[in-house]
Amino acid sequence: RRTLDAVRMARPTQLLLVADGPRDDRPDDPALVAATREVLDGVDWPCDVNRRYSDTTHGVEASVELGLDWVFSQVTDAIVFEDDCIADPSFFTFAEELLTRYRDDRRVWQISGNNFGIPETLFADSYAFTAWGSVWGWATWADRWHAHRAVFPRDYRATADAPGTAPVRTQPARPESATLVTASGKHHFNDAATSQDIISHGWDKHWWLTMMTEGGLAITPSRNLVENVGWGADATHGVTSERQDHPAQRIDFPLRHPAGVAVDVEVERDLELVLSRVGGRTARAARRLIRSPGARRVMRRIAY
């Protein structure tokens, strides 16, 4: 409901809705799915609404990938939200302006709304170019998505020889791109490139791997424009702890654009450290022992 409320404030003229079906082993799911779809019926502004609703469950991987295939069969660009991502109104203007500015620049593949709390002091402009970016509220173009699916064409029609849920690439990913700036970041994406684990390395990692392999970049905003609220005991795919995301803020206009399209090393370094600080025994132990956020930042820069 909060996600739709944020979209309502932007009043888009076209809305494409993708929804998975109830899981067979969850007796509460049919009622929850019905309640969710009832919320989505609350579009009360002039808008062309198209729906891709499933009667059965496909899981997050198939729902996102096949759902975006459907979206980009109809439109040339889109702003994308999952159900737990709440946007500040300024994100829609931010995304729309940058979708237009970089439409024909194939060096840019993604516009992120969430910046994982990277300090604004690291940014010289309203946004920076990075090797990857959050998909907690994001935007892209159909041609970039189609380019990704051309080299990562899993369609989930499982066979004995090629299970549809396993990562399948027509050419190897090359995440050792010079755009990655930390040892931990390079290790993480090299692991993702060869792993069959679609839980730890899901659809978003494979999207980013294609970006890196093709020389594409993401845009990361200097302020957090989209808040992920999908935490807590009832989380489905997110972390079930009481973790909280950074609140969504307004970004100032007119935007200050970087002088060139190239990775911002300082912002990229901090972004890659997100991969290190959210998991692993070392990260968990450090959070218990080092309470000061400033001290944690210093230690991360030393360690990674």
Side-chain angles (χ1 to χ4, degrees):
R1 185 175 293 111
R2 293 172 62 191
T3 300
L4 184 62
D5 286 346
V7 174
R8 179 181 287 109
M9 293 182 68
R11 298 175 70 84
T13 57
Q14 187 172 12
L15 192 62
L16 296 103
L17 302 174
V18 178
D20 204 4
R23 294 162 292 186
D24 294 335
D25 60 343
R26 302 292 182 92
D28 293 340
D29 266 13
L32 292 170
V33 168
T36 300
R37 295 181 184 183
E38 184 177 355
V39 168
L40 295 176
D41 287 336
V43 177
D44 53 5
W45 66 92
C47 184
D48 178 18
V49 181
N50 293 288
R51 294 172 173 84
R52 186 182 190 271
Y53 288 175
S54 176
D55 294 328
T56 58
T57 186
H58 296 289
V60 65
E61 298 292 309
S63 292
V64 171
E65 290 178 340
L66 300 180
L68 289 176
D69 289 347
W70 173 76
V71 166
F72 289 121
S73 71
Q74 302 176 69
V75 297
T76 59
D77 53 63
I79 300 172
V80 184
F81 298 103
E82 294 187 33
D83 60 294
D84 53 6
C85 296
I86 317 299
D88 180 85
S90 64
F91 173 60
F92 295 90
T93 306
F94 176 83
E96 187 173 20
E97 178 174 338
L98 297 183
L99 282 169
T100 300
R101 183 180 182 89
Y102 295 107
R103 183 183 311 280
D104 299 321
D105 191 334
R106 289 297 297 266
R107 295 172 296 178
V108 184
W109 278 51
Q110 176 182 329
I111 301 163
S112 297
N114 185 289
N115 74 355
F116 293 123
I118 295 174
E120 188 174 357
T121 53
L122 292 182
F123 291 80
D125 302 293
S126 299
Y127 58 92
F129 292 103
T130 53
W132 62 289
S134 172
V135 290
W136 293 347
W138 63 294
T140 193
W141 301 264
D143 57 359
R144 275 68 148 186
W145 181 255
H146 293 323
H148 166 57
R149 295 291 276 152
V151 297
F152 192 68
R154 58 178 177 173
D155 60 8
Y156 298 91
R157 291 179 294 185
T159 66
D161 296 328
T165 55
V168 177
R169 284 188 174 270
T170 60
Q171 60 187 48
R174 300 187 303 276
E176 65 279 2
S177 166
T179 56
L180 294 169
V181 301
T182 68
S184 60
K186 293 175 182 178
H187 174 79
H188 183 92
F189 283 107
N190 273 306
D191 181 58
T194 57
S195 175
Q196 297 293 303
D197 179 0
I198 62 170
I199 303 301
S200 298
H201 303 302
W203 74 268
D204 50 354
K205 298 282 181 68
H206 288 283
W207 161 247
W208 298 328
L209 285 168
T210 300
M211 284 173 49
M212 295 173 189
T213 300
E214 299 297 322
L217 298 175
I219 284 173
T220 295
S222 61
R223 294 178 185 170
N224 197 57
L225 308 180
V226 181
E227 179 182 1
N228 186 317
V229 297
W231 316 103
D234 60 346
T236 301
H237 299 112
V239 178
T240 57
S241 69
E242 293 305 316
R243 173 181 171 182
Q244 290 185 326
D245 190 20
H246 299 82
Q249 299 176 283
R250 183 186 185 280
I251 200 163
D252 296 329
F253 295 95
L255 296 178
R256 300 187 312 275
H257 301 285
V261 179
V263 165
D264 185 306
V265 173
E266 290 303 309
V267 175
E268 175 63 27
R269 178 180 291 110
D270 230 60
L271 188 61
E272 288 178 30
L273 297 184
V274 170
L275 300 172
S276 304
R277 63 177 174 253
V278 298
R281 288 176 295 180
T282 302
R284 290 194 296 270
R287 283 195 291 272
R288 288 195 301 269
L289 297 173
I290 305 173
R291 298 297 183 182
S292 165
R296 288 181 185 176
R297 184 174 299 279
V298 170
M299 289 302 296
R300 284 196 298 268
R301 290 180 179 276
I302 294 171
Y304 302 106

